[in-house]
Amino acid sequence: MREKILEVQSLYKVYGRNENTTNALNGLSCSVLKGEFLGIMGSSGSGKTTLLNCIATMIRPTNGRILLDGEDISGFKGKRLAGYRGSKIGYLFQEFELLDNLTGRENILLPVDIHGEKVTDGFNELVKYLEIEELLDKFPSQMSGGQKQRVAAARALILNPDIILADEPTGALDSKNAKSMMDKLAGLNQWNESTVMMVTHDANAASYCSRILFIQDGVIFHELRRQMPEETQHDFYERIISVMAQLGGGSANVF
């Protein structure tokens, strides 16, 4: 039985004040197991990205707790908070968020510089695995969308984080580059035992996951597990599509 690496306990997030409030999260609870590839799905405004951003400490929840290895991250401040953001989590953004005035190499090594770490042999291994050797001296303006996302993935992974948070990592990619990106993430999960928590609306991307949580109105309302190892990725994809259709009248309307 795998141990829990992350626990979310009764998480609330309220935006606005008085009459102009929006409840993005309504007491949501969930957990992530070490080495798991967890997918988060839900309609626009369901709270899935808010959940991810609370875990990343990009926003502060209104109430509830987030525990990483049993420690409440809300109590982290100063160097400890910086250390959590730098070495415990790696964030992969939908729109890449590369700095235009830095080369691929400089973008990848930015977390290393910020947190005062040293470059290890893992850099060369990571660059080779993601097939971005030829992009190290190029600027983002000289890269395609798929190339930018692979460079961004290297930046998120350079400090070997405990958990990778991916927010719609294929959202800005065409189908070919989306498949390539998901193959790389799945490879990291399977062969490096990296823990991945991914928000997505794409059933193809979700089919790479081992478990999917469906969010509606700020709470978990359905869970889907891939029956490993007998269930193929295609069969899991079909089950995802079926759930999406049953729970909301079709993927175009729901997810």
Side-chain angles (χ1 to χ4, degrees), residues 4 6-12 25-31 51 55 61-68 70-72:
K4 293 179 182 178
L6 184 78
E7 290 184 76
V8 176
Q9 300 178 345
S10 300
L11 207 66
Y12 290 83
L25 297 174
N26 285 298
L28 185 146
S29 296
C30 66
S31 61
L51 171 63
I55 295 170
T62 304
N63 209 341
R65 300 201 305 167
I66 300 171
L67 307 178
L68 184 76
E71 290 191 276
D72 188 351

PDB file of all heavy atoms in Angstrom, residues 4 6-12 25-31 51 55 61-68 70-72:
ATOM      1  N   LYS A   4       0.558   8.109   1.708  1.00  0.00           N
ATOM      2  CA  LYS A   4       0.052   9.403   1.245  1.00  0.00           C
ATOM      3  C   LYS A   4       1.178  10.422   1.276  1.00  0.00           C
ATOM      4  O   LYS A   4       1.864  10.562   2.285  1.00  0.00           O
ATOM      5  CB  LYS A   4      -1.086   9.879   2.142  1.00  0.00           C
ATOM      6  CG  LYS A   4      -2.342   9.022   2.070  1.00  0.00           C
ATOM      7  CD  LYS A   4      -3.411   9.552   3.020  1.00  0.00           C
ATOM      8  CE  LYS A   4      -4.649   8.677   2.990  1.00  0.00           C
ATOM      9  NZ  LYS A   4      -5.678   9.149   3.941  1.00  0.00           N
ATOM     10  N   LEU A   6       0.396  13.645   0.006  1.00  0.00           N
ATOM     11  CA  LEU A   6      -0.335  14.903   0.131  1.00  0.00           C
ATOM     12  C   LEU A   6      -1.751  14.632   0.616  1.00  0.00           C
ATOM     13  O   LEU A   6      -2.409  13.709   0.140  1.00  0.00           O
ATOM     14  CB  LEU A   6      -0.377  15.620  -1.223  1.00  0.00           C
ATOM     15  CG  LEU A   6      -1.021  17.011  -1.248  1.00  0.00           C
ATOM     16  CD1 LEU A   6      -0.055  18.052  -0.684  1.00  0.00           C
ATOM     17  CD2 LEU A   6      -1.412  17.395  -2.676  1.00  0.00           C
ATOM     18  N   GLU A   7      -2.211  15.423   1.571  1.00  0.00           N
ATOM     19  CA  GLU A   7      -3.583  15.338   2.059  1.00  0.00           C
ATOM     20  C   GLU A   7      -4.209  16.728   2.067  1.00  0.00           C
ATOM     21  O   GLU A   7      -3.614  17.679   2.586  1.00  0.00           O
ATOM     22  CB  GLU A   7      -3.630  14.765   3.471  1.00  0.00           C
ATOM     23  CG  GLU A   7      -3.278  13.301   3.580  1.00  0.00           C
ATOM     24  CD  GLU A   7      -3.452  12.784   4.999  1.00  0.00           C
ATOM     25  OE1 GLU A   7      -4.611  12.562   5.414  1.00  0.00           O
ATOM     26  OE2 GLU A   7      -2.428  12.636   5.691  1.00  0.00           O
ATOM     27  N   VAL A   8      -5.380  16.831   1.497  1.00  0.00           N
ATOM     28  CA  VAL A   8      -6.161  18.066   1.513  1.00  0.00           C
ATOM     29  C   VAL A   8      -7.372  17.819   2.404  1.00  0.00           C
ATOM     30  O   VAL A   8      -8.157  16.901   2.152  1.00  0.00           O
ATOM     31  CB  VAL A   8      -6.613  18.460   0.092  1.00  0.00           C
ATOM     32  CG1 VAL A   8      -7.502  19.700   0.143  1.00  0.00           C
ATOM     33  CG2 VAL A   8      -5.408  18.708  -0.800  1.00  0.00           C
ATOM     34  N   GLN A   9      -7.512  18.611   3.455  1.00  0.00           N
ATOM     35  CA  GLN A   9      -8.553  18.381   4.454  1.00  0.00           C
ATOM     36  C   GLN A   9      -9.518  19.563   4.538  1.00  0.00           C
ATOM     37  O   GLN A   9      -9.126  20.662   4.923  1.00  0.00           O
ATOM     38  CB  GLN A   9      -7.912  18.131   5.826  1.00  0.00           C
ATOM     39  CG  GLN A   9      -6.978  16.933   5.869  1.00  0.00           C
ATOM     40  CD  GLN A   9      -6.323  16.753   7.220  1.00  0.00           C
ATOM     41  OE1 GLN A   9      -6.333  17.655   8.069  1.00  0.00           O
ATOM     42  NE2 GLN A   9      -5.723  15.589   7.450  1.00  0.00           N
ATOM     43  N   SER A  10     -10.763  19.330   4.138  1.00  0.00           N
ATOM     44  CA  SER A  10     -11.856  20.317   4.268  1.00  0.00           C
ATOM     45  C   SER A  10     -11.428  21.705   3.792  1.00  0.00           C
ATOM     46  O   SER A  10     -11.514  22.684   4.535  1.00  0.00           O
ATOM     47  CB  SER A  10     -12.333  20.381   5.718  1.00  0.00           C
ATOM     48  OG  SER A  10     -12.801  19.127   6.144  1.00  0.00           O
ATOM     49  N   LEU A  11     -10.982  21.772   2.548  1.00  0.00           N
ATOM     50  CA  LEU A  11     -10.443  23.024   2.017  1.00  0.00           C
ATOM     51  C   LEU A  11     -11.558  23.927   1.476  1.00  0.00           C
ATOM     52  O   LEU A  11     -12.408  23.489   0.709  1.00  0.00           O
ATOM     53  CB  LEU A  11      -9.431  22.728   0.901  1.00  0.00           C
ATOM     54  CG  LEU A  11      -8.345  23.790   0.684  1.00  0.00           C
ATOM     55  CD1 LEU A  11      -7.433  23.869   1.911  1.00  0.00           C
ATOM     56  CD2 LEU A  11      -7.518  23.459  -0.549  1.00  0.00           C
ATOM     57  N   TYR A  12     -11.522  25.176   1.920  1.00  0.00           N
ATOM     58  CA  TYR A  12     -12.451  26.209   1.439  1.00  0.00           C
ATOM     59  C   TYR A  12     -11.656  27.357   0.832  1.00  0.00           C
ATOM     60  O   TYR A  12     -10.590  27.713   1.330  1.00  0.00           O
ATOM     61  CB  TYR A  12     -13.302  26.774   2.585  1.00  0.00           C
ATOM     62  CG  TYR A  12     -14.327  25.822   3.147  1.00  0.00           C
ATOM     63  CD1 TYR A  12     -13.967  24.872   4.101  1.00  0.00           C
ATOM     64  CD2 TYR A  12     -15.652  25.875   2.723  1.00  0.00           C
ATOM     65  CE1 TYR A  12     -14.908  23.996   4.628  1.00  0.00           C
ATOM     66  CE2 TYR A  12     -16.601  25.001   3.252  1.00  0.00           C
ATOM     67  CZ  TYR A  12     -16.224  24.069   4.207  1.00  0.00           C
ATOM     68  OH  TYR A  12     -17.147  23.204   4.725  1.00  0.00           O
ATOM     69  N   LEU A  25     -13.978  26.690  -3.535  1.00  0.00           N
ATOM     70  CA  LEU A  25     -13.827  25.383  -2.902  1.00  0.00           C
ATOM     71  C   LEU A  25     -14.755  25.322  -1.694  1.00  0.00           C
ATOM     72  O   LEU A  25     -14.824  26.273  -0.919  1.00  0.00           O
ATOM     73  CB  LEU A  25     -12.376  25.143  -2.467  1.00  0.00           C
ATOM     74  CG  LEU A  25     -11.320  25.100  -3.576  1.00  0.00           C
ATOM     75  CD1 LEU A  25      -9.924  24.992  -2.981  1.00  0.00           C
ATOM     76  CD2 LEU A  25     -11.586  23.942  -4.541  1.00  0.00           C
ATOM     77  N   ASN A  26     -15.455  24.200  -1.529  1.00  0.00           N
ATOM     78  CA  ASN A  26     -16.478  24.091  -0.491  1.00  0.00           C
ATOM     79  C   ASN A  26     -16.234  22.889   0.435  1.00  0.00           C
ATOM     80  O   ASN A  26     -17.030  21.965   0.502  1.00  0.00           O
ATOM     81  CB  ASN A  26     -17.864  23.959  -1.130  1.00  0.00           C
ATOM     82  CG  ASN A  26     -18.370  25.275  -1.696  1.00  0.00           C
ATOM     83  OD1 ASN A  26     -18.557  26.232  -0.953  1.00  0.00           O
ATOM     84  ND2 ASN A  26     -18.566  25.321  -2.993  1.00  0.00           N
ATOM     85  N   GLY A  27     -15.107  22.896   1.121  1.00  0.00           N
ATOM     86  CA  GLY A  27     -14.803  21.801   2.035  1.00  0.00           C
ATOM     87  C   GLY A  27     -14.244  20.583   1.327  1.00  0.00           C
ATOM     88  O   GLY A  27     -14.489  19.445   1.745  1.00  0.00           O
ATOM     89  N   LEU A  28     -13.496  20.804   0.276  1.00  0.00           N
ATOM     90  CA  LEU A  28     -12.951  19.703  -0.526  1.00  0.00           C
ATOM     91  C   LEU A  28     -11.878  18.935   0.245  1.00  0.00           C
ATOM     92  O   LEU A  28     -10.992  19.529   0.867  1.00  0.00           O
ATOM     93  CB  LEU A  28     -12.368  20.254  -1.831  1.00  0.00           C
ATOM     94  CG  LEU A  28     -11.853  19.250  -2.857  1.00  0.00           C
ATOM     95  CD1 LEU A  28     -12.093  19.766  -4.269  1.00  0.00           C
ATOM     96  CD2 LEU A  28     -10.364  18.944  -2.666  1.00  0.00           C
ATOM     97  N   SER A  29     -11.955  17.620   0.182  1.00  0.00           N
ATOM     98  CA  SER A  29     -10.952  16.751   0.794  1.00  0.00           C
ATOM     99  C   SER A  29     -10.503  15.705  -0.210  1.00  0.00           C
ATOM    100  O   SER A  29     -11.331  15.140  -0.943  1.00  0.00           O
ATOM    101  CB  SER A  29     -11.511  16.050   2.035  1.00  0.00           C
ATOM    102  OG  SER A  29     -11.841  16.976   3.055  1.00  0.00           O
ATOM    103  N   CYS A  30      -9.205  15.442  -0.252  1.00  0.00           N
ATOM    104  CA  CYS A  30      -8.666  14.410  -1.125  1.00  0.00           C
ATOM    105  C   CYS A  30      -7.244  14.100  -0.690  1.00  0.00           C
ATOM    106  O   CYS A  30      -6.676  14.794   0.164  1.00  0.00           O
ATOM    107  CB  CYS A  30      -8.695  14.827  -2.598  1.00  0.00           C
ATOM    108  SG  CYS A  30      -7.606  16.218  -3.011  1.00  0.00           S
ATOM    109  N   SER A  31      -6.668  13.073  -1.259  1.00  0.00           N
ATOM    110  CA  SER A  31      -5.286  12.734  -0.959  1.00  0.00           C
ATOM    111  C   SER A  31      -4.586  12.263  -2.222  1.00  0.00           C
ATOM    112  O   SER A  31      -5.232  11.835  -3.190  1.00  0.00           O
ATOM    113  CB  SER A  31      -5.213  11.649   0.122  1.00  0.00           C
ATOM    114  OG  SER A  31      -5.855  10.467  -0.309  1.00  0.00           O
ATOM    115  N   LEU A  51      -7.727  24.652  -6.506  1.00  0.00           N
ATOM    116  CA  LEU A  51      -7.143  23.600  -5.671  1.00  0.00           C
ATOM    117  C   LEU A  51      -5.648  23.479  -5.925  1.00  0.00           C
ATOM    118  O   LEU A  51      -4.847  23.448  -4.982  1.00  0.00           O
ATOM    119  CB  LEU A  51      -7.839  22.270  -5.964  1.00  0.00           C
ATOM    120  CG  LEU A  51      -7.204  21.024  -5.330  1.00  0.00           C
ATOM    121  CD1 LEU A  51      -7.235  21.106  -3.823  1.00  0.00           C
ATOM    122  CD2 LEU A  51      -7.911  19.761  -5.830  1.00  0.00           C
ATOM    123  N   ILE A  55      -2.404  24.336  -3.302  1.00  0.00           N
ATOM    124  CA  ILE A  55      -1.331  23.389  -2.997  1.00  0.00           C
ATOM    125  C   ILE A  55       0.024  23.997  -3.328  1.00  0.00           C
ATOM    126  O   ILE A  55       1.010  23.783  -2.612  1.00  0.00           O
ATOM    127  CB  ILE A  55      -1.546  22.078  -3.773  1.00  0.00           C
ATOM    128  CG1 ILE A  55      -2.820  21.379  -3.294  1.00  0.00           C
ATOM    129  CG2 ILE A  55      -0.338  21.153  -3.625  1.00  0.00           C
ATOM    130  CD1 ILE A  55      -3.247  20.205  -4.151  1.00  0.00           C
ATOM    131  N   PRO A  61      -5.816  29.379   1.018  1.00  0.00           N
ATOM    132  CA  PRO A  61      -7.203  28.960   1.229  1.00  0.00           C
ATOM    133  C   PRO A  61      -7.865  29.750   2.359  1.00  0.00           C
ATOM    134  O   PRO A  61      -7.175  30.249   3.258  1.00  0.00           O
ATOM    135  CB  PRO A  61      -7.076  27.479   1.580  1.00  0.00           C
ATOM    136  CG  PRO A  61      -5.685  27.327   2.116  1.00  0.00           C
ATOM    137  CD  PRO A  61      -4.852  28.320   1.357  1.00  0.00           C
ATOM    138  N   THR A  62      -9.177  29.858   2.318  1.00  0.00           N
ATOM    139  CA  THR A  62      -9.917  30.541   3.373  1.00  0.00           C
ATOM    140  C   THR A  62      -9.938  29.711   4.652  1.00  0.00           C
ATOM    141  O   THR A  62      -9.856  30.254   5.762  1.00  0.00           O
ATOM    142  CB  THR A  62     -11.358  30.811   2.900  1.00  0.00           C
ATOM    143  OG1 THR A  62     -11.325  31.548   1.683  1.00  0.00           O
ATOM    144  CG2 THR A  62     -12.121  31.616   3.938  1.00  0.00           C
ATOM    145  N   ASN A  63     -10.033  28.406   4.481  1.00  0.00           N
ATOM    146  CA  ASN A  63     -10.048  27.501   5.633  1.00  0.00           C
ATOM    147  C   ASN A  63      -9.638  26.107   5.171  1.00  0.00           C
ATOM    148  O   ASN A  63      -9.651  25.802   3.983  1.00  0.00           O
ATOM    149  CB  ASN A  63     -11.437  27.449   6.267  1.00  0.00           C
ATOM    150  CG  ASN A  63     -11.378  27.144   7.752  1.00  0.00           C
ATOM    151  OD1 ASN A  63     -10.365  26.640   8.250  1.00  0.00           O
ATOM    152  ND2 ASN A  63     -12.459  27.452   8.463  1.00  0.00           N
ATOM    153  N   GLY A  64      -9.276  25.252   6.126  1.00  0.00           N
ATOM    154  CA  GLY A  64      -8.859  23.903   5.813  1.00  0.00           C
ATOM    155  C   GLY A  64      -7.346  23.751   5.871  1.00  0.00           C
ATOM    156  O   GLY A  64      -6.617  24.714   6.116  1.00  0.00           O
ATOM    157  N   ARG A  65      -6.880  22.519   5.639  1.00  0.00           N
ATOM    158  CA  ARG A  65      -5.453  22.242   5.755  1.00  0.00           C
ATOM    159  C   ARG A  65      -4.945  21.461   4.537  1.00  0.00           C
ATOM    160  O   ARG A  65      -5.671  20.672   3.935  1.00  0.00           O
ATOM    161  CB  ARG A  65      -5.158  21.421   7.009  1.00  0.00           C
ATOM    162  CG  ARG A  65      -5.557  22.088   8.315  1.00  0.00           C
ATOM    163  CD  ARG A  65      -4.800  21.475   9.493  1.00  0.00           C
ATOM    164  NE  ARG A  65      -4.960  20.031   9.568  1.00  0.00           N
ATOM    165  CZ  ARG A  65      -4.209  19.238  10.335  1.00  0.00           C
ATOM    166  NH1 ARG A  65      -3.226  19.760  11.052  1.00  0.00           N
ATOM    167  NH2 ARG A  65      -4.425  17.930  10.386  1.00  0.00           N
ATOM    168  N   ILE A  66      -3.674  21.718   4.203  1.00  0.00           N
ATOM    169  CA  ILE A  66      -2.975  20.965   3.172  1.00  0.00           C
ATOM    170  C   ILE A  66      -1.720  20.397   3.819  1.00  0.00           C
ATOM    171  O   ILE A  66      -0.862  21.155   4.297  1.00  0.00           O
ATOM    172  CB  ILE A  66      -2.598  21.844   1.968  1.00  0.00           C
ATOM    173  CG1 ILE A  66      -3.856  22.458   1.335  1.00  0.00           C
ATOM    174  CG2 ILE A  66      -1.828  21.025   0.930  1.00  0.00           C
ATOM    175  CD1 ILE A  66      -3.563  23.502   0.285  1.00  0.00           C
ATOM    176  N   LEU A  67      -1.618  19.078   3.855  1.00  0.00           N
ATOM    177  CA  LEU A  67      -0.498  18.418   4.513  1.00  0.00           C
ATOM    178  C   LEU A  67       0.396  17.751   3.476  1.00  0.00           C
ATOM    179  O   LEU A  67      -0.080  16.960   2.658  1.00  0.00           O
ATOM    180  CB  LEU A  67      -0.994  17.357   5.499  1.00  0.00           C
ATOM    181  CG  LEU A  67      -2.027  17.786   6.543  1.00  0.00           C
ATOM    182  CD1 LEU A  67      -2.433  16.601   7.403  1.00  0.00           C
ATOM    183  CD2 LEU A  67      -1.478  18.911   7.422  1.00  0.00           C
ATOM    184  N   LEU A  68       1.667  18.071   3.504  1.00  0.00           N
ATOM    185  CA  LEU A  68       2.658  17.394   2.675  1.00  0.00           C
ATOM    186  C   LEU A  68       3.553  16.590   3.600  1.00  0.00           C
ATOM    187  O   LEU A  68       4.208  17.150   4.483  1.00  0.00           O
ATOM    188  CB  LEU A  68       3.490  18.394   1.871  1.00  0.00           C
ATOM    189  CG  LEU A  68       4.478  17.735   0.901  1.00  0.00           C
ATOM    190  CD1 LEU A  68       3.739  17.193  -0.321  1.00  0.00           C
ATOM    191  CD2 LEU A  68       5.563  18.713   0.448  1.00  0.00           C
ATOM    192  N   GLY A  70       2.611  14.943   5.994  1.00  0.00           N
ATOM    193  CA  GLY A  70       2.109  15.128   7.346  1.00  0.00           C
ATOM    194  C   GLY A  70       2.292  16.516   7.923  1.00  0.00           C
ATOM    195  O   GLY A  70       1.821  16.787   9.032  1.00  0.00           O
ATOM    196  N   GLU A  71       2.938  17.427   7.197  1.00  0.00           N
ATOM    197  CA  GLU A  71       3.167  18.783   7.695  1.00  0.00           C
ATOM    198  C   GLU A  71       2.226  19.771   7.022  1.00  0.00           C
ATOM    199  O   GLU A  71       2.049  19.745   5.800  1.00  0.00           O
ATOM    200  CB  GLU A  71       4.612  19.212   7.442  1.00  0.00           C
ATOM    201  CG  GLU A  71       5.646  18.491   8.276  1.00  0.00           C
ATOM    202  CD  GLU A  71       7.013  19.144   8.169  1.00  0.00           C
ATOM    203  OE1 GLU A  71       7.717  18.824   7.194  1.00  0.00           O
ATOM    204  OE2 GLU A  71       7.364  19.970   9.036  1.00  0.00           O
ATOM    205  N   ASP A  72       1.615  20.640   7.822  1.00  0.00           N
ATOM    206  CA  ASP A  72       0.677  21.639   7.318  1.00  0.00           C
ATOM    207  C   ASP A  72       1.459  22.765   6.655  1.00  0.00           C
ATOM    208  O   ASP A  72       2.172  23.522   7.322  1.00  0.00           O
ATOM    209  CB  ASP A  72      -0.163  22.186   8.472  1.00  0.00           C
ATOM    210  CG  ASP A  72      -1.294  23.080   7.994  1.00  0.00           C
ATOM    211  OD1 ASP A  72      -1.330  23.421   6.794  1.00  0.00           O
ATOM    212  OD2 ASP A  72      -2.148  23.444   8.825  1.00  0.00           O
TER     213      ASP A  72
END
